């Protein structure tokens, strides 16, 4: 009869390999995570003492729901890119530093807006804006 207590084998867990795996997973998640970009910037604009404003010259390019182009409220004869480029050059006199505002109806085909933007870029407009209307329920915060 063996009365000596049994010697239990010690269970040895190698933690280093688990730490390696966890570090690899951590690096993977940090690299692949897209960070939320916040565009809500609160600004307090400076006040001007002068009430005189410079006369703002700008070009309004309007696109109706059917995809027809209007430059400064005058309808173009067709909806081709070449016609739009010629009219933009004629209206600006070759000066492309004038602000260009593109206003499109909400039912305007997407291709008409892309055509207008492409024609403006080909003429030389580097910066132009897209006009939108703020709804009643949405306010800037």
């Amino acid at each position: 009869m063996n009365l000596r207590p049994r010697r239990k084998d010690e269970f040895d867990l190698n933690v280093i390999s688990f730490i390696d795996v966890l570090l690899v997973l951590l690096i993977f998640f940090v690299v692949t995570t897209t960070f939320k970009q916040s565009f809500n910037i609160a600004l307090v604009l400076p006040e001007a003492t002068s009430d005189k404003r410079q006369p703002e010259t700008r070009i309004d390019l309007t696109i109706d729901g059917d995809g027809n182009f209007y430059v400064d409220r005058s309808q173009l004869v067709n909806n081709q890119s070449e016609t739009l480029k010629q009219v933009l050059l004629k209206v600006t006199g070759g000066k492309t530093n004038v602000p260009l505002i593109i206003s499109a109806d909400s039912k305007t085909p997407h291709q008409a807006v892309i055509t207008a933007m492409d024609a403006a870029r080909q003429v030389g407009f580097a910066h132009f804006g897209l006009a939108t209307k703020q709804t009643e329920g949405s306010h800037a915060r």
Side-chain angles (χ1 to χ4, degrees):
M1 213 162 118
N2 191 2
L3 295 175
R4 282 189 265 163
R6 283 188 180 179
R7 185 173 170 199
K8 293 184 179 179
D9 291 335
E10 290 186 26
F11 184 70
D12 189 22
L13 183 63
N14 189 0
V15 201
I16 295 177
S17 60
F18 287 123
I19 292 173
D20 289 342
V21 170
L22 287 176
L23 285 175
V24 169
L25 286 174
L26 179 68
I27 291 171
F28 174 76
F29 286 121
V30 167
V31 170
T32 59
T33 302
T34 57
F35 296 102
K36 181 180 176 185
Q37 295 179 353
S38 177
F39 294 107
N40 297 333
I41 300 173
L43 293 178
V44 178
L45 298 176
E47 296 178 7
T49 58
S50 166
D51 286 338
K52 295 181 182 178
R53 294 183 182 176
Q54 296 293 330
E56 186 176 313
T57 59
R58 70 177 196 187
I59 299 171
D60 291 318
L61 173 59
T62 308
I63 309 170
D64 66 7
D66 296 326
N68 299 317
F69 296 120
Y70 298 84
V71 175
D72 289 336
R73 297 184 180 154
S74 299
Q75 185 174 2
L76 274 61
V77 292
N78 59 30
N79 298 334
Q80 295 178 358
S81 177
E82 290 300 319
T83 306
L84 180 58
K85 287 192 278 187
Q86 290 174 0
V87 170
L88 287 175
L89 282 175
K90 181 180 175 185
V91 169
T92 61
K95 298 178 183 177
T96 57
N97 58 351
V98 179
L100 175 67
I101 307 298
I102 300 175
S103 303
D105 189 85
S106 62
K107 295 180 177 150
T108 301
H110 187 67
Q111 182 60 49
V113 177
I114 297 300
T115 301
M117 293 170 66
D118 187 42
R121 288 229 188 255
Q122 288 178 7
V123 168
F125 285 95
H127 304 286
F128 46 83
L130 297 172
T132 60
K133 183 177 103 176
Q134 187 174 3
T135 59
E136 290 287 326
S138 65
H139 297 295
R141 295 176 194 189

